[in-house]
Every structure is written in structure tokens, then in C-alpha cells.
Amino acid sequence: MNKPLAYFKEHIGKDASESPSPLMQWLNPILISAEAGELEFSYVVRNEMTNPLGIIHGGTTAAIIDDAMGAAVFSLGLSHVYTTVSLSVDYFSRAQVGETIIAQTKIIKQGKQIINAECEVWNEDKSRLIAKGHSNLIQTKIGV
């Protein structure tokens, strides 16, 4: 097992307060499951994550999707850092303050330079899709 995946497996059931990602620390999800290229997180929607209508802000949802997909790429244990070059998000439903939402992310295709990933954001019982995102991430020259 690679070191990043071992790190994620050790943190199942824990919040993200020790994450190397400051954004993930702020979003503060709880890791539900971890496999290479597939992660699942739960988030509690806080007031500072919402828009003036009191529902989760589209930018917050996009940040959750982007950060979760980045973590899924990291879980592969690759030798270089990858960064997002495209992100597309479709929004389907809302989530209010106090609700728990679930982000499920997985790698769709891993090429030599580009990795394609997707992430679905659901309500807690997974009966309502809130948003779905797709991304391409490119390998940088930065080693891990």
C-alpha cells in the first residue's frame, strides 16, 4: 500500500483537522472510506458555507468536489503533484445549514499526464443528488 493511501486509511472516521490541505481543514469533512483513487467524505453544512438564501453556496460545493478529487488523485501514491486544469459542476439540489452531505469521488481514467476524475455530492441517505463534478488534472513537475 502506498503512503498516501495508508494515511487515508488511518484517518477513516476522523475529521480533516490534520489534513495537509488548508481548504480541507476548513471544510472539515469526516473520511468515510478510502481505496486507491476512490474516497468518500461526509460534511456538515455550516453557516459560513452558505449563500444569502441559507443553502450551500455553489462555490463551496465546487470546492468540496475539487478538493475531494485532488485527494483521490493523491491516494494513488504517484510521484508528482497533479493540479486541476478543468472543472465542470452540475447542480441538482440544495443543502441547508446543519445537513450532512456526502462526497463520493473516484478516478475515471489515469493517463500518462492527465487524470480524469468525478465526484458526486449527495444528501446523507443518498436519496438526493446535490451536485456532480468532473475534472481533468495534469501532472506537474513538482515531486511528492
Side-chain angles (χ1 to χ4, degrees):
M1 181 183 320
N2 68 61
K3 285 184 180 183
L5 182 57
Y7 171 86
F8 283 120
K9 288 196 173 278
E10 290 171 9
H11 285 82
I12 291 174
K14 298 178 182 176
D15 70 21
S17 59
E18 296 180 19
S19 172
S21 165
L23 177 61
M24 190 169 276
Q25 289 176 15
W26 183 80
L27 293 168
N28 201 29
I30 294 173
L31 182 60
I32 298 171
S33 65
E35 296 299 331
E38 294 188 25
L39 301 173
E40 186 172 357
F41 299 94
S42 70
Y43 304 76
V44 175
V45 179
R46 302 185 313 270
N47 189 57
E48 62 269 25
M49 298 170 138
T50 64
N51 63 25
L53 299 175
I55 59 176
I56 194 165
H57 191 286
T60 305
T61 306
I64 287 170
I65 289 169
D66 189 51
D67 208 48
M69 287 190 288
V73 170
F74 186 66
S75 76
L76 296 173
L78 302 172
S79 61
H80 287 81
V81 172
Y82 281 70
T83 190
T84 303
V85 292
S86 66
L87 175 65
S88 174
V89 180
D90 294 314
Y91 300 93
F92 302 105
S93 189
R94 60 177 171 68
Q96 297 176 322
V97 172
E99 281 189 66
T100 297
I101 58 175
I102 306 296
Q104 296 177 295
T105 186
K106 66 180 177 179
I107 303 305
I108 302 301
K109 183 173 188 321
Q110 181 180 346
K112 291 180 182 178
Q113 296 291 318
I114 302 284
I115 294 177
N116 181 265
E118 74 175 20
C119 181
E120 295 179 338
V121 179
W122 293 86
N123 66 334
E124 188 171 21
D125 68 4
K126 298 181 185 172
S127 63
R128 182 171 36 90
L129 182 62
I130 294 167
K132 184 173 185 176
H134 293 88
S135 181
N136 288 306
L137 300 97
I138 192 167
Q139 179 180 311
T140 69
K141 294 181 180 183
I142 302 167
V144 177

